[in-house]
Amino acid sequence: MTKLSISRARALAAAAVGVVLIGGAAVAQQAPPNIVERTEWDNRRLDQLDRNVRRLERALTQRNAAGQPVLVEPDPEVVTLQGQFALMDRRLGDLEATVRRINGDNERLTFQLDEATRDNQALRTRLTDAENRIQKLETQAELNAPIEATSPTGDAGRDLAAAVALLSSDRPRGERALETVIAAWPDTPQSREANSRLGDLRVAANDKAGAVPYYAAALKDWPRIGWAADTTLKLADALFATQRKPQGCAALAEFTRRYAPTAADPQKARAAQLRTTGGCAA
């Protein structure tokens, strides 16, 4: 039991809890709980409560002045509720601290994730570059390796067809396939045609000097084959373009002697035009 200040007495009186013992002569008994309807607090009721509190305050002041201190025995239920509220307040504080810690952890994790994402992107870029370089080196090694005289299909015609088909999708490997046909099937119509096609590829690359040996190899012994007449005209044009007029005129003479009788009119017209521009004798 302790002596309370006036402010403490006001708070306890307003809350209507505890039993007041005045002068130790009487102890108020706790009234049994009475379930009533919820009080609607308005300005009038609040003003009345304030007047009652002030009246009680004056009575307590008079008692204290008369040497009769006011002692208050707290309600056990109120004490219990206060303890529960204090516990809830501590738990709420712990929860807030946990939330703050989790938020901090999330921020750190987000930052670390962003860094990891950037690092992964950089590593992926470097890996892609490395793979491209390795693939390029492997391709160069494959294309620069010595040509082997091996047949992929075991048949000259099928080897040539496969090489021609490959040209449309992968020109470097298609050229190598034509070179393989020449090595695997020498002195065959397929190897001669492969040489003719390789000459065409050199012309397409603006390398008429490089086309001459392929055309010459294709026309060895002047074969009687469908593409031979056109290849002879291409050979003459390449020879003129590389300042080899005698050889160019000789190629046109072979065309006239060997292929002109069965050549198409456009081919004959092309031969005449080359003969004129090359300055060949009639």
Side-chain angles (χ1 to χ4, degrees), residues 38-54:
R38 182 179 179 181
T39 302
E40 296 293 337
W41 293 97
D42 53 15
N43 289 334
R44 183 181 62 80
R45 287 181 180 274
L46 291 173
D47 289 341
Q48 184 179 356
L49 178 60
D50 185 66
R51 288 193 297 271
N52 292 337
V53 170
R54 291 180 184 277

Side-chain angles (χ1 to χ4, degrees), residues 4-244:
L4 300 178
S5 65
I6 294 176
S7 59
R8 179 60 174 169
R10 178 196 293 268
L12 292 173
V17 295
V19 177
V20 179
L21 299 178
I22 301 176
V27 178
Q29 301 296 323
Q30 181 180 353
N34 183 21
I35 301 176
V36 297
E37 295 183 358
R38 182 179 179 181
T39 302
E40 296 293 337
W41 293 97
D42 53 15
N43 289 334
R44 183 181 62 80
R45 287 181 180 274
L46 291 173
D47 289 341
Q48 184 179 356
L49 178 60
D50 185 66
R51 288 193 297 271
N52 292 337
V53 170
R54 291 180 184 277
R55 191 176 299 116
L56 179 58
E57 182 182 89
R58 288 193 297 271
L60 293 175
T61 302
Q62 293 172 0
R63 290 282 185 177
N64 287 332
Q68 298 177 345
V70 176
L71 301 177
V72 176
E73 181 181 348
D75 189 331
E77 293 186 2
V78 173
V79 174
T80 302
L81 288 174
Q82 289 175 340
Q84 292 177 349
F85 283 131
L87 179 60
M88 292 176 62
D89 186 65
R90 287 195 300 272
R91 290 182 177 177
L92 180 59
D94 293 341
L95 181 59
E96 290 176 348
T98 301
V99 171
R100 286 194 296 269
R101 186 174 63 255
I102 292 174
N103 289 337
D105 292 342
N106 286 339
E107 291 178 359
R108 287 191 295 274
L109 289 174
T110 300
F111 178 76
Q112 293 172 358
L113 179 60
D114 291 340
E115 283 190 332
T117 300
R118 288 192 296 269
D119 292 342
N120 288 339
Q121 183 62 41
L123 289 174
R124 188 178 297 108
T125 300
R126 293 178 61 184
L127 179 60
T128 301
D129 292 341
E131 289 177 345
N132 291 337
R133 292 174 61 186
I134 292 174
Q135 184 177 6
K136 184 177 180 179
L137 291 173
E138 290 176 345
T139 300
Q140 291 176 350
E142 177 185 350
L143 296 178
N144 293 328
I147 299 295
E148 297 182 2
T150 57
S151 171
T153 67
D155 179 81
R158 289 199 297 269
D159 286 354
L160 178 62
V164 172
L166 187 58
L167 280 173
S168 60
S169 59
D170 190 340
R171 176 171 170 172
R173 286 186 170 83
E175 290 186 23
R176 185 175 176 84
L178 290 174
E179 295 279 5
T180 301
V181 171
I182 295 171
W185 305 98
D187 297 325
T188 62
Q190 288 78 19
S191 68
R192 296 176 189 277
E193 183 177 348
N195 273 298
S196 178
R197 289 181 178 275
L198 287 170
D200 292 343
L201 293 174
R202 296 298 180 276
V203 171
N206 198 27
D207 180 18
K208 290 187 176 181
V212 170
Y214 286 107
Y215 286 144
L219 294 170
K220 181 182 179 181
D221 298 330
W222 304 104
R224 298 287 182 175
I225 197 167
W227 48 264
D230 198 48
T231 299
T232 302
L233 296 176
K234 292 176 182 178
L235 172 61
D237 179 65
L239 290 168
F240 287 135
T242 54
Q243 309 303 317
R244 286 178 278 187

